[in-house]
Amino acid sequence: MEFRHLGRSGLMVSEIAYGNWITHGSQVEEEAAAKCVKAALDVGITTFDTADVYAGTRAEEVLGRALKGERREGLEIFTKVYWPTGPGPNDRGLSRKHIMESINGSLRRLQVDYVDLYQAHRYDHSTPLEETMQAFADVVRSGKALYIGVSEWSATEIRAGWELARDLNIQLVSSQPQYSALWRVIEAEVVPTSIELGIGQVVWSPIAQGVLTGKYEPGKQPPAGSRATDDKSGADFISRWLSDEVLGAVQRLKPLAEQAGLSMAQLAVAWVLQNSNVSAAIIGASRPEQVHDNAKASGVKLEDDLLKAIDDVLAPVIERDPALTVSPANRP
Ligand SMILES: NC(=O)c1ccc[n+]([C@@H]2O[C@H](COP(=O)([O-])OP(=O)(O)OC[C@H]3O[C@@H](n4cnc5c(N)ncnc54)[C@H](OP(=O)(O)O)[C@@H]3O)[C@@H](O)[C@H]2O)c1
C-alpha cells in the first residue's frame, strides 16, 4: 500500500481507504463487516471512513468493534456530521449544538478518544458558516478531532470555509466528493481551487458503487447479493447508474482492463488515483475478496494511451457539470 499526504497537511493516509456506507450495520452481517475490515488491515489500509448517519449510527459502532485492539497511532479514522441522526430539528445540520452532540456520539460509538478527520457531510445553508467553523475549531482545540474536512462542497463554499478555518488557526485539509471515471464533476472547479488552497480530495464511490466492475450487464438482472439487490438502501442509491447506456459503455472497458493486466475494479480505482489532487480513494466492500482485489490498484500507473482509450469508450456517459456539486437548499 502506498501513502499520500492528506492535502498539504503532514498527515499521511493510505491512498486506498476503506469506507462502510450501506454495508456495515445494514447490507452485510457483522461477521462479514469484521472480515472486510480485517482484509483492509491485511492489505495495508490504515485509513477508515464512516459517518454518524450511516445505518442510523450503527455503522460507526460496527467499525469501532472491528478496529478494537488495533494500535490507534497506526490508524486514521474519519467521520462526518450533517445528515439526521435523530428525530429533532437539532439532530441534523452544522449548528454548534449538533456538531458538539454529534462528535461526542461518534467518539462513543467508535470507542476512540479522537478522530483524525471530522468532515462536514454537506454545506448547511441554514447555519452561518462562521458558527460552523467556530464549532469545528472548538472540536479541534478540545482534542476530539485533529483535522477538518468537508464533503460535496462547491469550490466557492470550500474557499469560504478554508478562509475562516485559516483565521481560526485550524486546518481545513480535505474535500470528500464523488469521483470516478463516470463522474468527473470536480475537475473543472473543486480540484483547481483545492490545489490552490492545499486541500486534498478523499473520493467516494471510485467504482461507481460496483458499476465499473462490469458485473451489471445491460438488459440483465443484477447479480444476486449485489448492491443493486439490497432493498434496505443500496438499490436506491445505485439506481442512477443502471441504464443500458452506462452499462453498455462500461462493458467496452473490459478489453482495456484485460490488456493492462488489471481487473475492472483495479482499473477504476487506479483511474481516480492518477489525479494527483486525490489523497485517497475510499473503497466499499461487501466481502473481503473485493478488498483484496481493489487494493491492488495502489501504485498502478495508467499510461496516457490507456487513459485516452477509457475517455473514448465512456465519452457519451461521463458527467462533468460542476453544478452537480450541490448541497440541499434546506436541512434534510
Ligand atoms: N461523503 C459522501 O457523501 C459519501 C457518499 C457515499 C460514499 N461515501 C464514502 O465512500 C465509501 C465508498 O463508497 P462506495 O461503497 O459506493 O464505493 P465503491 O467502491 O464505488 O463501491 C463499493 C461496492 O461495490 C461492490 N464491489 C466492490 N469491489 C468489487 C469487486 N472487486 N467486484 C465486484 N463488486 C465489487 C460492492 O458492493 P456489492 O458487493 O454489494 O455489489 C461494494 O460494496 C463509503 O463507504 C463512504 O465511506 C461518502
Side-chain angles (χ1 to χ4, degrees):
M1 180 59 53
E2 299 201 0
F3 290 78
R4 297 186 182 194
H5 281 271
L6 184 59
R8 212 183 277 150
S9 81
L11 183 70
M12 305 301 290
V13 293
S14 52
E15 66 177 13
I16 297 180
Y18 175 80
N20 71 355
W21 175 59
I22 290 183
T23 52
H24 293 191
S26 184
Q27 182 197 1
V28 308
E29 298 299 330
E30 178 124 2
E31 201 189 332
K35 282 186 180 155
C36 288
V37 170
K38 167 121 187 12
L41 293 166
D42 287 347
V43 298
I45 289 174
T46 57
T47 304
F48 292 84
D49 182 76
T50 186
D52 56 357
V53 67
Y54 292 170
T57 71
R58 288 187 305 279
E60 285 184 331
E61 291 173 1
V62 173
L63 185 64
R65 286 193 288 272
L67 289 175
K68 200 159 170 66
E70 294 300 319
R71 223 180 119 250
R72 182 65 186 90
E73 297 86 336
L75 301 173
E76 303 81 47
I77 300 178
F78 298 179
T79 195
K80 318 186 192 80
V81 55
Y82 169 85
W83 295 100
T85 49
N90 284 317
D91 292 318
R92 59 205 65 218
L94 299 177
S95 69
R96 181 175 184 80
K97 178 173 172 68
H98 184 53
I99 287 175
M100 293 303 172
E101 296 286 2
S102 193
I103 186 69
N104 288 336
S106 290
L107 296 181
R108 195 174 59 245
R109 290 185 292 268
L110 286 162
Q111 302 186 53
V112 291
D113 299 327
Y114 70 93
V115 291
D116 295 85
L117 182 70
Y118 200 41
Q119 303 160 102
H121 209 158
R122 289 297 180 272
Y123 189 89
D124 181 1
H125 294 283
S126 316
T127 304
L129 186 57
E130 290 78 3
E131 175 179 338
T132 295
M133 297 312 295
Q134 182 69 62
F136 276 144
D138 290 342
V139 167
V140 169
R141 284 196 236 292
S142 63
K144 294 177 182 179
L146 306 186
Y147 299 88
I148 294 302
V150 300
S151 174
E152 292 294 337
W153 284 28
S154 68
T156 309
E157 292 162 350
I158 288 174
R159 185 182 295 282
W162 181 89
E163 285 173 354
L164 285 168
R166 179 198 54 197
D167 295 347
L168 289 159
N169 289 315
I170 56 164
Q171 288 160 284
L172 196 166
V173 295
S174 67
S175 147
Q176 187 176 129
Q178 181 175 180
Y179 188 48
S180 69
L182 289 168
W183 187 266
R184 307 187 187 184
V185 306
I186 58 170
E187 289 180 348
E189 296 177 3
V190 166
V191 167
T193 298
S194 297
I195 291 171
E196 180 196 331
L197 302 178
I199 288 172
Q201 311 303 319
V202 178
V203 307
W204 57 269
S205 295
I207 62 169
Q209 303 191 47
V211 166
L212 281 165
T213 66
K215 71 180 177 181
Y216 299 105
E217 295 181 52
K220 292 203 186 152
Q221 287 300 312
S226 63
R227 184 171 293 186
T229 63
D230 169 38
D231 55 14
K232 290 195 197 88
S233 68
D236 275 351
F237 280 112
I238 201 175
S239 60
R240 84 166 309 283
W241 292 119
L242 300 181
S243 70
D244 283 354
E245 198 191 6
V246 170
L247 301 183
V250 169
Q251 292 302 314
R252 291 193 283 282
L253 291 176
K254 281 185 172 167
L256 301 180
E258 243 164 65
Q259 264 171 24
L262 299 169
S263 72
M264 287 280 278
Q266 289 159 10
L267 181 74
V269 176
W271 186 90
V272 301
L273 291 173
Q274 304 307 298
N275 184 328
S276 60
N277 186 231
V278 169
S279 297
I282 319 172
I283 60 164
S286 65
R287 53 207 82 164
E289 305 83 75
Q290 295 172 344
V291 178
H292 286 285
D293 177 9
N294 306 4
K296 293 196 186 92
S298 177
V300 168
K301 163 103 179 77
L302 303 183
E303 299 303 334
D304 288 347
D305 54 349
L306 174 56
L307 293 170
K308 166 91 176 56
I310 293 171
D311 289 351
D312 291 345
V313 162
L314 295 181
V317 293
I318 297 171
E319 281 291 358
R320 294 183 187 274
D321 181 1
L324 290 169
T325 298
V326 66
S327 295
N330 299 303
R331 270 188 209 159

